Amino acid sequence: MTETTPFSPEEIAAEGIKPDEYQEIVKRLNRHPNKAELGMFGVMWSEHCCYKNSRPLLSQFPTTGDRVLVGPGENAGVVDLGNGLQLAFKIESHNHPSAVEPFQGAATGVGGILRDIFTMGARPIAILNSLRFGNLEDARTRRIFQGVVEGISHYGNCIGVPTVGGEVYFDPAYAGNPLVNAMALGLMETDEIVKAGASGIGNPVLYVGSTTGRDGMGGASFASAELTDDSMDDRPAVQVGDPFLEKSLVEACLEAFKTGAVVAAQDMGAAGLTCSTAEMAEKGNVGIELDLDKIPAREQGMIPYEYLLSESQERMLFVGEKGREQELIDIFHRWGLHAVVAGEVIAEPKVRILFQGEIAANIPAKALSEDTPIYKRELLQDAPEYAQKAWQWTVDDLPACDYEGLFVGENYLTWNEILLKLLDTPTIASKKWVYRQYDHQVQNNTILFPGGADAAVVRVRPIDAQPEDCQTGVAATTDCNSRYVYLNPYEGAKYAVVEAARNLSCVGAEPLAVTDNLNFGSPEKPIGYWQLANACRGVADACRAMNTPVTGGNVSLYNETLDSNGNPQPIYPTPVIGMVGLIPDITKICGQSWTNEGDIIYLLGSPSPSPQSPPSPPSPPSSPASPIAASEYLAVIHNTVAGKPPVIDFELEKTVQEACRTGIRRGWINAAHDCAEGGLAVALAESCIGNGFGADINIQVTTEQRLDEVLFGESGNRILVTVNPEQKSDWEAYLAETLGDLWTKLGLVTQQGSSLNIVTNENLTLINVKISDIKKIWQESIEKRLKLS
C-alpha cells in the first residue's frame, strides 16, 4: 500500500477486500475510493454478488433449450409451459444469516426469493426449501432448526404463498453452519417478461416499497465469509422482514408492470441500493444517477455508506417511462407503499450517487457488476487424502451377516431392528413436524401435499381462471445427497440432478429445467476448490444428459465454521438441485403411498442396487463394489462415511423414468416412489406408512449377495410402483418392450393395518414388522428429539 492510501489494511479487510483487490479498485477508478465507494466494492466484489471463484465453472452449464425463455443473468429463469403459460423459478441461499438469527434469516430468505419471482412480472404460486442442520441431539442445532422452520412458515403463511415441498437433512457436518435454501415458483402475469436492464436516457429511476434503515448492513459480504465465534456480533447484517408489506408490494408491482410504464425493474436484495443501481446500469449499458436525499429513511442521521449497503427488505428499484412517473407513484401509494423519483438514467455508464448536494460516489457500472475479479484456481491433479482413504473402504470391513441380521460391535441387530433404526433417523423420518407449520393449501392450487409424494404438484391457474378450467400442473423438487458429493463430487452431483428428475417422474411430470444452489466451503483451499470444480462438472454433464438446462441459481461459498482455535470446519459440499417439471393433465398423477389392497408391486430398474462409481480421477486400489458404500445404512448403523457413491447410467435412468411417467399417464400406475436413502427396505416402508397398507415382498437373493446390500443398498434408476391386477398384462407387455428384463415383480399390497413382510426366494423371512410400529417410530423421530430442549 502506498502512504497516500486513505484506509488502513484493517479497514480494507473489514470490507472483505483483499490487498491486491484494493489495487484493482484504484486502477479502475484511477484514484483511491472514498468510504462509501469502498463499501460498494466490498459488497459487489463479494463471492455472493460477483461469483469471482465460481463464474468460470458455471460457464460449462447448459443454459438453453426449447422451453427456456429466460436463462441465467436475470432475477429468475422462465420456462414455457405451453398454452400461453410461462413459469418463473429460482433458488437462493440465506445460510449465514440463518446461523446467526434463525427466524429472521430464514424469513427474509423466503421474502428475497419471492421478490426475484415477482420482479419478473410473475405471481408467486409456490415455495420449496432445502434445509441442512447438525445433529438434533445438540441443543444449539435444535434452536436453529426450530427458528428456521418458524421463520419460513411465518413469511410464507403471512404473504399467502403455499410452502409445498422440500427436503431436510441432519448431519454433524452442518453443526455450525446450517444451510437454508429457498426456492420459489411464479406464473407470469404480464404480457412481457420484465427485465433488469435500464434504458432511455432521462428516464426516471423510482424507489418503491419500504423505507431504508441500518438493518442488513453488508449482508452480502457477511454471506461471503466464514462463520466464527464472533459472528453473533453480526446480527445487524441480518435483515428484518415484513411479509404483510411484501404482499402489498407484490400486488403493486404486478399492477405497475401491467401499465407498460415500467421499463426495467430490480429488487433490492444482497447489497441493496448498490447492487440494484449497478446491475440495472451495467445490463443496459447506461448509467444511473441516484440522490440519497430522496430515499425514504426509517432512521435519522444515515450516511451514504449506510444507505448504499443497507439490505432493508421489501424494496425495489424501477426505471419508468418519462412523463408517467405519477401514474406509477399513485399505484404504490394506493397500496400504502413509498414511491419516489430518486434519480434518472444517464448516458455516462456510471453509478453516480448524490448526497446533500454533493457527489458521494461515482463508479463505472461495469467495475461494480461485470469487470470484477475472477479467480481461476488450480485444480488438484490427485484426489485429496480424505477421498483416497474413503475409497479404500470395502464391504469386507463389515461383519458377516445372515438372514436374521448381523453383529454391530458386541450387539446383534436383526433386520427388523435395523429398519426401525433407519426409520428413526431424522434424515429419513417423517418431516411432518416441519411441514405442518406451513400453509401448503393457500391459493387452493396444491394437488399433492408435502409428505405425500416424491415431488410437489401445483395446479397452474391464472389469477382470473376457475380451478375446474385448469388442467396443466407443474411439479417441483429440491434434491442433493451431500454425503455422495463429499465422497465423490463429480458422481454425487450427477446423482443429485438425476434424483431430482426421478422424483418428478414419480409424480408423472416431464423434467424441464434446473435452478441450482451451490453450497460449498472455501474455494481458496485446494480441497474446497476440488469439490466445487468437480461438482460443477457433474451438474453440467447430468443436466446435458437429462436435457434439463440450468436457468439460474445461486452460489454460496465459505460455508465454514471457525472454531475457537481458528480451525475451519467446512460443510459437506452441497449442490442443491431445484427442478421443475410439466404435468399436462393434473388428473394423471400419483403419490408415493399404496392405495389399493391387492395391487401388484414392481421394481423398475436394476433388480439389485447397481455397482458403485469409479472415482474420477485417480483410480484407487481396486475393491469389490458395494451398494452400501456411502449409504445411510453404513453411516447410521456402522457409523462409517466411506466408499464410492452410486454411478449413474444416464440411458437406463432416462428409460426407467420414461416408463414410470408413461405408466402414470396411461392410468396403469397407482403409486410410485424412488429408492433413495435407506434403499429398498426403507422405500417399501415409506410407501406402506402413508395409507397404512402392508406389503408381502419376495426378493431374489443369490448366495454371493450380502443381505444388507439387498435390503439397504442404494443406487440410481430404481422406482417402486404399484399396478392394479387388471392392468397387469398391458403393463408387463409395455415393460418387456421398453425395459427388457430390467424390472421385477416384487409382491402385493396387503390390507390396511397389516405388516411389511419381506422374504427371500428360499422363503426365509428377513423383515416382518407391523405397519403401526414402523409408522409410530417414523412419525415421532423428530418430535421426540425436540422434547430434549
Side-chain angles (χ1 to χ4, degrees):
M1 298 284 173
T2 64
E3 290 183 10
T4 56
T5 302
F7 305 104
S8 67
E10 292 75 20
E11 288 174 309
I12 293 169
E15 301 296 340
I17 295 171
K18 302 180 188 303
D20 56 337
E21 290 177 344
Y22 182 82
Q23 295 303 332
E24 287 296 319
I25 292 170
V26 172
K27 195 181 297 182
R28 283 162 175 71
L29 294 177
N30 206 23
R31 59 177 171 80
H32 289 284
N34 61 34
K35 173 68 173 172
E37 292 169 331
L38 185 70
M40 293 169 76
F41 276 107
V43 290
M44 291 303 292
W45 283 15
S46 68
E47 180 66 37
H48 192 78
C49 287
C50 81
Y51 298 171
K52 57 191 173 187
N53 289 287
S54 52
R55 207 188 306 182
L57 301 174
L58 303 180
S59 63
Q60 63 192 306
F61 288 174
T63 57
T64 58
D66 294 342
R67 292 187 179 270
V68 176
L69 300 175
V70 176
E74 290 292 337
N75 286 290
V78 182
V79 292
D80 185 1
L81 300 179
N83 300 317
L85 301 170
Q86 300 171 344
L87 184 80
F89 68 108
K90 175 84 176 291
I91 194 168
E92 284 270 6
S93 64
H94 235 220
N95 301 333
H96 288 183
S98 300
V100 173
E101 179 52 65
F103 178 88
Q104 288 295 351
T108 52
V110 173
I113 194 63
L114 290 175
R115 283 196 302 282
D116 282 339
I117 298 301
F118 68 77
T119 301
M120 303 293 293
R123 179 175 295 276
I125 61 170
I127 301 166
L128 294 90
N129 49 63
S130 176
L131 310 176
R132 302 289 189 285
F133 303 96
N135 192 323
L136 267 184
E137 314 291 336
D138 175 66
R140 181 170 180 267
T141 294
R142 293 196 295 271
R143 179 184 66 80
I144 292 174
F145 171 54
Q146 290 172 298
V148 164
V149 172
E150 189 181 350
I152 292 170
S153 65
H154 168 73
Y155 209 101
N157 295 356
C158 291
I159 199 171
V161 180
T163 302
V164 297
E167 57 171 3
V168 189
Y169 282 76
F170 300 89
D171 192 283
Y174 303 98
N177 195 133
L179 299 185
V180 177
N181 295 176
M183 178 178 170
L185 283 61
L187 186 60
M188 290 300 303
E189 204 167 282
T190 55
D191 292 336
E192 300 291 329
I193 296 169
V194 182
K195 302 285 187 72
S199 63
I201 307 306
N203 271 342
V205 173
L206 287 84
Y207 170 109
V208 302
S210 186
T211 53
T212 296
R214 293 185 173 94
D215 57 313
M217 289 288 302
S221 299
F222 172 57
S224 303
E226 296 92 341
L227 290 168
T228 70
D229 290 349
D230 297 327
S231 290
M232 295 304 284
D233 297 335
D234 278 325
R235 284 176 185 265
V238 180
Q239 308 87 344
V240 179
D242 181 346
F244 298 106
L245 194 151
E246 180 145 323
K247 173 62 176 169
S248 296
L249 189 61
V250 173
E251 301 301 338
C253 285
L254 292 177
E255 185 178 336
F257 295 152
K258 289 173 186 176
T259 67
V262 178
V263 176
Q266 177 72 42
D267 84 294
M268 288 188 222
L273 277 167
T274 296
C275 186
S276 54
T277 51
E279 290 194 351
M280 292 182 83
E282 189 277 324
K283 285 176 181 173
N285 200 27
V286 293
I288 286 181
E289 183 176 271
L290 196 77
D291 189 346
L292 297 181
D293 296 328
K294 306 256 180 82
I295 302 297
R298 72 179 65 147
E299 299 184 51
Q300 296 292 316
M302 289 180 65
I303 59 174
Y305 178 90
E306 293 169 325
Y307 275 107
L308 292 163
L309 269 63
S310 167
E311 293 185 11
S312 295
Q313 297 291 284
E314 293 89 37
R315 303 177 303 155
M316 312 273 287
L317 209 62
F318 285 0
V319 172
E321 284 188 4
K322 194 171 181 62
R324 301 185 69 180
E325 302 92 324
Q326 197 59 45
E327 183 182 348
L328 295 173
I329 289 170
D330 289 345
I331 290 172
F332 285 88
H333 285 175
R334 193 161 61 248
W335 285 98
L337 299 167
H338 292 275
V340 296
V341 174
E344 66 174 351
V345 178
I346 58 176
E348 190 178 10
K350 287 191 172 185
V351 174
R352 182 174 298 135
I353 305 298
L354 308 179
F355 181 68
Q356 296 181 354
E358 297 184 356
I359 295 177
N362 195 23
I363 305 175
K366 270 198 185 321
L368 288 172
S369 186
E370 185 63 29
D371 184 19
T372 62
I374 297 292
Y375 295 114
K376 295 182 179 177
R377 302 191 180 276
E378 192 172 335
L379 184 62
L380 290 174
Q381 293 304 303
D382 295 326
E385 183 182 355
Y386 87 84
Q388 300 265 22
K389 185 177 179 182
W391 292 340
Q392 291 172 8
W393 177 89
T394 74
V395 74
D396 296 334
D397 296 334
L398 295 182
C401 56
D402 56 37
Y403 76 94
E404 291 182 336
L406 83 171
F407 275 97
V408 178
E410 296 180 357
N411 299 315
Y412 188 85
L413 296 180
T414 65
W415 301 127
N416 281 355
E417 290 170 331
I418 288 171
L419 174 61
L420 293 175
K421 190 168 182 180
L422 285 170
L423 292 171
D424 183 50
T425 303
T427 289
I428 289 178
S430 168
K431 307 305 184 299
K432 188 175 182 179
W433 183 90
V434 176
Y435 62 73
R436 74 182 181 196
Q437 300 183 52
Y438 304 151
D439 187 341
H440 48 264
Q441 291 178 272
V442 65
Q443 297 188 13
N444 195 31
N445 290 317
T446 309
I447 306 298
L448 286 178
F449 295 166
D454 286 358
V457 176
V458 177
R459 177 192 294 110
V460 178
R461 177 164 66 105
I463 192 71
D464 54 355
Q466 295 300 313
E468 58 270 19
D469 298 330
C470 302
Q471 287 289 101
T472 302
V474 64
T477 185
T478 57
D479 286 287
C480 179
N481 185 321
S482 55
R483 188 187 300 119
Y484 288 178
V485 186
Y486 169 72
L487 290 169
N488 189 322
Y490 176 69
E491 293 293 346
K494 282 166 52 182
Y495 191 96
V497 173
V498 166
E499 184 179 15
R502 195 184 316 127
N503 283 333
L504 295 180
S505 297
C506 283
V507 298
E510 172 199 350
L512 293 184
V514 161
T515 178
D516 64 276
N517 208 136
L518 305 177
N519 307 273
F520 286 80
S522 171
E524 298 174 37
K525 292 166 185 156
I527 291 177
Y529 189 72
W530 177 81
Q531 292 173 338
L532 176 64
N534 280 293
C536 285
R537 186 166 60 89
V539 169
D541 286 354
C543 286
R544 206 169 278 112
M546 301 302 290
N547 194 25
T548 51
V550 178
T551 63
N554 176 249
V555 178
S556 175
L557 305 184
Y558 302 95
N559 285 290
E560 300 189 344
T561 309
L562 295 179
D563 62 23
S564 299
N565 298 321
N567 299 315
Q569 305 296 323
I571 62 163
Y572 279 166
T574 313
V576 172
I577 301 299
M579 190 180 288
V580 295
L582 175 63
I583 296 177
D585 183 351
I586 53 173
T587 64
K588 295 176 180 176
I589 57 174
C590 72
Q592 69 181 33
S593 302
W594 313 144
T595 55
N596 303 300
E597 181 181 348
D599 275 2
I600 305 170
I601 301 169
Y602 294 86
L603 179 66
L604 308 184
S606 306
S608 298
S610 58
Q612 308 308 290
S613 65
S616 161
S619 298
S622 60
S623 58
S626 172
I628 55 177
S631 68
E632 196 74 15
Y633 164 78
L634 189 62
V636 172
I637 304 301
H638 298 283
N639 199 29
T640 299
V641 176
K644 308 163 203 166
V647 65
I648 289 297
D649 179 334
F650 287 124
E651 291 310 310
L652 175 58
E653 190 71 53
K654 287 191 285 188
T655 304
V656 167
Q657 292 186 23
E658 174 63 28
C660 183
R661 291 194 299 271
T662 301
I664 293 170
R665 292 178 183 181
R666 292 188 184 178
W668 293 331
I669 292 176
N670 292 327
H673 186 31
D674 85 316
C675 293
E677 289 85 0
L680 177 64
V682 166
L684 287 165
E686 289 171 337
S687 291
C688 287
I689 288 169
N691 293 322
F693 287 99
D696 282 342
I697 303 297
N698 189 300
I699 54 176
Q700 301 294 311
V701 181
T702 65
T703 54
E704 295 81 28
Q705 287 179 296
R706 286 180 59 102
L707 290 172
D708 49 5
E709 292 181 331
V710 174
L711 292 170
F712 307 113
E714 298 173 9
S715 75
N717 73 60
R718 297 197 303 161
I719 299 175
L720 284 174
V721 301
T722 58
V723 173
N724 188 301
E726 293 178 4
Q727 310 283 356
K728 177 177 181 289
S729 57
D730 288 345
W731 169 241
E732 291 187 0
Y734 171 77
L735 289 181
E737 181 184 334
T738 55
L739 287 179
D741 60 355
L742 290 175
W743 59 277
T744 310
K745 186 160 64 174
L746 290 180
L748 297 175
V749 176
T750 57
Q751 67 183 26
Q752 288 178 307
S754 58
S755 299
L756 170 60
N757 186 40
I758 303 177
V759 301
T760 70
N761 46 311
E762 296 180 348
N763 209 30
L764 296 173
T765 298
L766 302 180
I767 287 176
N768 184 268
V769 287
K770 289 183 177 178
I771 303 306
S772 57
D773 291 343
I774 61 176
K775 184 173 184 177
K776 178 178 171 62
I777 283 177
W778 179 79
Q779 283 190 334
E780 295 178 357
S781 169
I782 289 177
E783 204 157 344
K784 75 180 181 185
R785 286 168 172 83
L786 294 178
K787 287 176 181 175
L788 295 172
S789 299

